[in-house]
Amino acid sequence: MKRQIRRIWRRSPAALLREAALRLFLTGLTLAVLFLFLIPMAYGVVTGLKTGYQIAQSDAPWWPASVETITYEGKEYEVYYVPIDGKEKPMALYKKGRKASLLLDPENLEAGPIEWQGNWRSLKRVWRFDPQWQNFVAVWETIDFPLLLKNTLMFAGITTIGAVLSAALVAYGFARFRIPGKNVLFMVMLSTVILPGAITLIPTYYIWLRIGWVGTWKPLIIPAFFSWGTNVFLLRQFFLGIPRELDEAAMIDGASPLRIFISIILPNAKPALTAVALFHFFWAWNEFFGPLIYLAGHPEKFPITVGLTQFNNLYSQSAHLIQAASLMSAALPLVVFFFAQRVFMQGVVITGVEK
Amino acid sequence: MPRVPWPFRKRSRKAPRRKWGRLERKEALWGLGFLSPWLIGFLLFYLFPIIASFGFSLFDFNPAVPDQARFIGWTNWRYALFKDPEVWLSLKRTLHFAVISLPISLGFALFLALLLNSKYVLGKSVYRTLFYMPTMIPLVATVLIWNGVLNEQTGWINVLIEKVLGIEATGVNGIRWLADPDLVYYAYTMFGLWGIGNPMIVFLAGLQGVPTELYEAAELDGANWFRKLIHITIPMITPVIFYQLVLGVIGALQYFLAPFVLNGGTGFPEGKTRFFMIYFYKQAFSFFNMGYAATLAWILFIIALVLTVILFGTARYWVYYTAEERA
């Protein structure tokens, strides 16, 4: 700290000013970009809290609101801003007329309708802040969110276990054993990750069809237990970093490779295993194409992604409901992310930079 | 040098290759055992289906009535490659979209990474999390939220453009992001920008791997930030750029979700969003033309392979590996 202070005083005021300006500019730039970047999120939240009516009205404010009304003699009347005596007073429109209208003073209802000269069309309505939290409830029930959530959780949970387990086994094989053609196999595995998977789709789909498992989750869950290239890659990198001396010590004590795997490698790889689990969990949460083709026609088995799409197809006119539904789908992954962000980003780095 | 059993041995490269003895065999068998989940999965779910897919492409095949499958040889292939206009059109659209969206996305990711790597920005780790956060949102939700925000009447993007830049963006003559054939690819690119977190983090890691001595040496020679960027930063991260480019191209070839969710694959506007995978999906799961769809999948695979080989081939000329990285 002292060194920094000395360094600052050594520099000229011009350089300090320049640095401060640069800091201001770049930080401001980042904030501006961040703001624009996250605007759709704000839009989603705000729109999700509006009524369908508000969205269609051109004079509505951008925040969730509904028109102020008062009840008089059993009927509702909308409140407008009326210029009276030089001030804009909120008055309810009792009877609309082209040249003159009848108004009601909300603070003085007993006085009855007051006549006002002017075109009512020139008046602006009074909107008050009115977030429609019940939109979320409505969506929850219409889309049967608990069912979608259950399906998605089941899929994500089971496949994560399978993915981590199988990837760990395979990564251990690549990391610790000398096998003829190991490097070739590794390259082949990497290329299966990169190249388009559609090529395997038709025969695989047909076989599942013949077995009779199309329409169930099985075609989507079973492949997860056979390991996925990126997970293996990440774990292999990590396993290579675990010192061999630990293995060797166990070997001296007569441990079999399986024993070493369970007792030495796995406990030492917890960060990497967690990262793989998280990655896979989010990937599964996001899965769309697989469930789309294998679960078509079985809405009771849909995950959130497909259910949301179907909801959009039915209710695309109701922007507020669509936004509310989208936010609901995003809620759980976001919450998990905020708790696990460090692990996540480290995992991204390991996978990405090593290539 | 006496032969030492696994795992004590680290064979030096200069040692002559020895014959396979019992211990090596044992090790290899154990290794294969651990690899077996992947090996079996590879054979069952990858190799066998790829070969079978080729077989399917030689048939006229509807899975609903499998007994009526006829062997038609190369007919599917000839039709797809020479007679079906949609194949090359959809491919052209896909590549057109890739050419627009990849530079913008990767450029933006790099831009963000540079900002987040700068010593002048305050609060970097917070921004990093916030920029990464939208990747966590399921893509379907992202598409729908952006669909709303880009809406010409009530969408905030147009409202902001109008207020800040003064161009007429809302209303009937406004910017119709998703309905204007010339703009729709840019709109789709915007959806993709929310997924920029992963490339951004990878670029960031790459930037942090650039040795500072290079920058210091350049500063001694009087280089300003622009020269440092062009002559040091970018060349040093070309491996990362290359990796993102390959992944990006392959991903763009398989682009499916956004057009499907928004238009159901109709290709609105004016057919511009009928990408290759949409056509594949239609053939396979709407028309149940599975033989033909298998042909399409193979064509996509070959194109991806060719593009990857080309990219790897050109890498020699512009990707700069340091001595440690050249494995």
Side-chain angles (χ1 to χ4, degrees):
Chain A
M1 185 60 185
K2 225 173 171 185
R3 242 225 207 130
Q4 280 179 332
I5 299 178
R6 283 215 348 242
R7 237 191 253 146
I8 292 180
W9 285 117
R10 280 232 189 108
R11 305 226 290 280
S12 70
L16 280 178
L17 197 64
R18 179 174 174 274
E19 177 165 325
L22 213 54
R23 270 187 207 267
L24 200 67
F25 172 66
L26 286 177
T27 311
L29 182 65
T30 315
L31 280 170
V33 174
L34 186 65
F35 174 72
L36 287 174
F37 192 69
L38 291 180
I39 273 191
M41 194 76 135
Y43 173 82
V45 172
V46 167
T47 310
L49 290 172
K50 293 184 182 175
T51 61
Y53 175 72
Q54 180 191 358
I55 295 176
Q57 297 302 306
S58 50
D59 68 322
W62 61 269
W63 33 273
S66 43
V67 184
E68 183 88 42
T69 60
I70 58 162
T71 325
Y72 180 74
E73 286 173 2
K75 295 222 305 240
E76 280 203 6
Y77 299 97
E78 293 181 338
V79 179
Y80 288 71
Y81 281 117
V82 183
I84 291 185
D85 305 327
K87 280 201 305 207
E88 296 253 332
K89 272 193 77 179
M91 305 280 273
L93 193 61
Y94 184 65
K95 196 157 169 196
K96 300 173 183 172
R98 243 179 294 143
K99 294 267 179 60
S101 311
L102 290 174
L103 303 174
L104 288 168
D105 187 344
E107 289 158 18
N108 197 0
L109 282 174
E110 303 82 43
I114 312 167
E115 182 149 333
W116 176 78
Q117 303 292 333
N119 192 351
W120 72 273
R121 285 190 193 278
S122 67
L123 299 175
K124 289 229 283 275
R125 282 188 288 190
V126 178
W127 294 80
R128 74 188 142 78
F129 184 62
D130 191 14
Q132 306 290 315
W133 298 105
Q134 63 267 28
N135 283 351
F136 288 97
V137 179
V139 171
W140 180 278
E141 282 163 15
T142 320
I143 205 176
D144 198 355
F145 199 73
L147 179 66
L148 296 180
L149 195 60
K150 182 182 71 128
N151 288 335
T152 316
L153 272 176
M154 176 218 46
F155 173 60
I158 298 182
T159 53
T160 301
I161 297 174
V164 174
L165 208 60
S166 56
L169 286 167
V170 177
Y172 181 55
F174 274 121
R176 283 291 199 255
F177 295 84
R178 283 164 27 92
I179 306 162
K182 183 170 72 159
N183 288 330
V184 174
L185 287 176
F186 194 67
M187 287 282 112
V188 170
M189 185 182 70
L190 284 185
S191 57
T192 66
V193 172
I194 299 182
L195 294 172
I199 194 170
T200 64
L201 201 55
I202 307 271
T204 316
Y205 182 81
Y206 183 60
I207 294 188
W208 293 126
L209 188 65
R210 287 302 287 258
I211 301 182
W213 283 353
V214 169
T216 71
W217 274 101
K218 297 198 193 74
L220 296 163
I221 294 184
I222 292 180
F225 284 82
F226 289 90
S227 87
W228 175 238
T230 27
N231 295 334
V232 174
F233 184 79
L234 201 157
L235 287 179
R236 171 186 172 266
Q237 293 302 108
F238 199 86
F239 289 172
L240 285 176
I242 300 179
R244 260 181 205 267
E245 288 81 47
L246 297 175
D247 289 46
E248 293 166 4
M251 277 297 291
I252 296 179
D253 290 339
S256 74
L258 189 61
R259 197 64 211 288
I260 296 180
F261 176 67
I262 298 176
S263 313
I264 297 188
I265 300 285
L266 286 186
N268 276 305
K270 286 214 191 81
L273 291 172
T274 321
V276 168
L278 281 172
F279 274 134
H280 186 90
F281 185 80
F282 282 105
W283 173 87
W285 199 269
N286 211 356
E287 252 295 86
F288 177 72
F289 194 72
L292 181 72
I293 58 177
Y294 284 112
L295 298 173
H298 294 258
E300 73 282 358
K301 303 209 179 92
F302 281 174
I304 292 180
T305 46
V306 184
L308 187 57
T309 312
Q310 194 188 44
F311 184 72
N312 180 51
N313 289 335
L314 292 171
Y315 291 93
S316 56
Q317 299 301 336
S318 313
H320 54 299
L321 295 177
I322 301 289
Q323 296 299 322
S326 305
L327 287 171
M328 255 201 289
S329 328
L332 201 140
L334 282 178
V335 166
V336 177
F337 170 66
F338 275 113
F339 282 112
Q341 38 172 296
R342 174 130 297 191
V343 183
F344 224 82
M345 295 203 263
Q346 273 174 358
V348 177
V349 170
I350 298 177
T351 341
V353 180
E354 292 299 322
K355 292 217 175 86
Chain B
M1 196 169 99
R3 231 178 355 142
V4 189
W6 166 86
F8 298 98
R9 165 244 300 121
K10 239 188 184 152
R11 196 160 65 95
S12 88
R13 286 185 191 242
K14 297 206 195 79
R17 219 173 150 68
R18 291 191 161 81
K19 290 224 297 276
W20 282 92
R22 236 192 60 216
L23 281 162
E24 274 92 352
R25 241 203 333 263
K26 200 165 151 215
E27 180 185 350
L29 281 176
W30 267 108
L32 282 174
F34 280 104
L35 289 187
S36 57
W38 177 71
L39 283 171
I40 299 176
F42 174 69
L43 292 171
L44 273 183
F45 296 115
Y46 206 77
L47 194 61
F48 178 66
I50 291 186
I51 300 174
S53 192
F54 185 72
F56 275 54
S57 72
L58 303 176
F59 281 77
D60 173 19
F61 176 60
N62 181 337
V65 282
D67 310 308
Q68 290 178 17
R70 310 180 284 125
F71 179 78
I72 52 174
W74 294 107
T75 314
N76 276 334
W77 286 86
R78 263 182 281 141
Y79 188 71
L81 291 172
F82 303 119
K83 300 213 193 97
D84 188 352
E86 181 67 12
V87 172
W88 292 110
L89 279 176
S90 61
L91 203 53
K92 193 174 71 113
R93 290 180 206 123
T94 312
L95 289 173
H96 184 193
F97 175 67
V99 165
I100 289 183
S101 69
L102 275 178
I104 295 179
S105 315
L106 292 184
F108 187 64
L110 185 57
F111 169 69
L112 286 183
L114 287 169
L115 272 180
L116 291 182
N117 195 39
S118 157
K119 52 185 175 167
Y120 295 115
V121 175
L122 307 166
K124 287 195 284 260
S125 50
V126 175
Y127 305 146
R128 204 175 54 208
T129 307
L130 288 175
F131 275 116
Y132 192 83
M133 180 186 69
T135 33
M136 295 294 101
I137 301 179
L139 194 52
V140 181
T142 301
V143 168
L144 292 176
I145 294 180
W146 273 94
N147 185 31
V149 139
L150 289 173
N151 178 302
E152 52 262 24
Q153 255 75 25
T154 57
W156 288 3
I157 300 278
N158 278 356
V159 170
L160 272 180
I161 292 180
E162 208 169 72
K163 288 205 160 61
V164 173
L165 296 176
I167 337 176
E168 183 180 357
T170 58
V172 177
N173 291 326
I175 306 177
R176 303 167 67 223
W177 291 104
L178 290 160
D180 186 337
D182 296 320
L183 289 178
V184 67
Y185 288 167
Y186 293 96
Y188 280 25
T189 306
M190 278 196 255
F191 303 162
L193 286 184
W194 258 22
I196 219 59
N198 274 323
M200 176 187 82
I201 298 285
V202 177
F203 275 133
L204 194 55
L207 287 176
Q208 286 165 352
V210 178
T212 41
E213 303 91 63
L214 295 175
Y215 291 121
E216 289 166 10
E219 274 165 27
L220 285 175
D221 289 338
N224 62 16
W225 67 270
F226 187 68
R227 294 198 87 96
K228 278 193 273 186
L229 180 68
I230 302 284
H231 293 289
I232 300 181
T233 311
I234 295 197
M236 288 302 286
I237 58 168
T238 42
V240 184
I241 298 180
F242 176 69
Y243 162 63
Q244 294 292 351
L245 196 59
V246 173
L247 285 188
V249 167
I250 305 293
L253 284 177
Q254 302 176 73
Y255 199 67
F256 175 80
L257 194 144
F260 186 79
V261 168
L262 290 179
N263 308 313
T266 56
F268 177 81
E270 289 179 23
K272 281 228 118 175
T273 61
R274 265 208 300 268
F275 299 115
F276 195 85
M277 276 303 282
I278 297 259
Y279 189 51
F280 168 80
Y281 176 82
K282 275 208 146 80
Q283 288 292 339
F285 299 104
S286 292
F287 306 148
F288 287 109
N289 237 341
M290 291 224 169
Y292 192 57
T295 321
L296 293 178
W298 257 94
I299 293 178
L300 186 70
F301 188 78
I302 293 175
I303 291 179
L305 205 54
V306 166
L307 284 176
T308 312
V309 167
I310 292 179
L311 278 173
F312 271 89
T314 62
R316 212 173 346 138
Y317 299 106
W318 61 277
V319 181
Y320 175 75
Y321 286 102
T322 60
E324 301 100 43
E325 285 169 20
R326 202 194 292 275

